[in-house]
């Protein structure tokens, strides 16, 4: 059984290691095709239940995660699981928080902190990572 996303599928980011992670906005319907094995939902409120394993990280819109330690743990889990499972990361719109989280996964995958936002904008969405504090979060991610 293939556990990866289709590399050309909409919203799928290929990390330098080859790991594939789908980013999306929860305002939109679940895309056709395979469902995630694991999802990380970045919202200010608890997300609706889904039929796959999911983790919720409290992360208000246009802001940063409420608990930075929990965020680091959740992002590391998503990155590790993307090596063998279909992983989805999503917020309401699929750009700011999702892009920030994907940029952090890129850092975990070896992209230098200062290049991770550009990497995600080039390979996922041109307007990913929406605020200056989200860019700073990526720049400092994993350095403590």
């Amino acid at each position: 059984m293939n556990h990866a996303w289709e590399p050309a599928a909409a919203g799928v980011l290929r990390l330098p290691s080859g790991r594939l992670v789908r980013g999306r906005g929860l305002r939109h319907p679940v895309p056709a095709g395979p469902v995630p094995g694991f999802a990380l939902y970045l919202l200010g409120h608890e997300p609706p239940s889904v039929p796959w394993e999911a983790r919720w990280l409290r992360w208000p819109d246009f802001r940063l995660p409420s608990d930075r330690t929990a965020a680091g743990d959740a992002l590391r889990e998503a990155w590790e699981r993307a090596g063998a499972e279909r992983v989805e990361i999503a917020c309401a719109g699929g750009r700011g928080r999702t892009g920030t989280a994907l940029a952090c996964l890129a850092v975990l995958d070896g992209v230098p902190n200062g290049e991770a936002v550009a990497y995600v904008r080039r390979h996922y969405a041109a307007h990913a990572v929406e605020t200056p504090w989200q860019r700073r979060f990526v720049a400092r991610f994993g350095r403590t």
Side-chain angles (χ1 to χ4, degrees):
M1 178 177 177
N2 183 358
H3 294 287
W5 298 109
E6 291 297 319
V12 175
L13 172 68
R14 178 185 292 275
L15 295 166
S17 66
R19 284 176 166 87
L20 300 171
V21 180
R22 180 171 76 188
R24 77 176 179 99
L26 294 172
R27 289 187 196 127
H28 310 291
V30 175
V35 298
F38 174 75
L40 178 58
Y41 295 128
L42 317 170
L43 297 167
H45 55 83
E46 191 168 353
S49 64
V50 291
W52 47 82
E53 186 180 353
R55 182 170 177 179
W56 168 45
L57 183 60
R58 185 180 299 277
W59 190 331
D61 202 7
F62 296 107
R63 301 203 179 260
L64 296 176
S66 298
D67 181 334
R68 309 283 167 82
T69 301
D73 292 345
L75 293 166
R76 282 179 193 75
E77 179 182 4
W79 178 80
E80 288 171 8
R81 292 179 75 154
E85 298 176 58
R86 282 188 289 272
V87 171
E88 170 177 89
I89 295 183
C91 64
R95 294 291 179 256
R97 293 168 284 182
T98 296
T100 302
L102 291 173
C104 291
L105 265 60
V107 169
L108 292 171
D109 209 61
V111 175
N113 292 65
E115 298 172 22
V117 171
Y119 182 89
V120 169
R121 286 177 174 171
R122 190 169 47 254
H123 298 286
Y124 170 68
H127 300 289
V129 192
E130 295 173 320
T131 68
W133 39 93
Q134 289 172 342
R135 287 192 298 276
R136 278 194 302 275
F137 183 79
V138 174
R140 296 175 180 159
F141 182 75
R143 293 188 174 176
T144 57

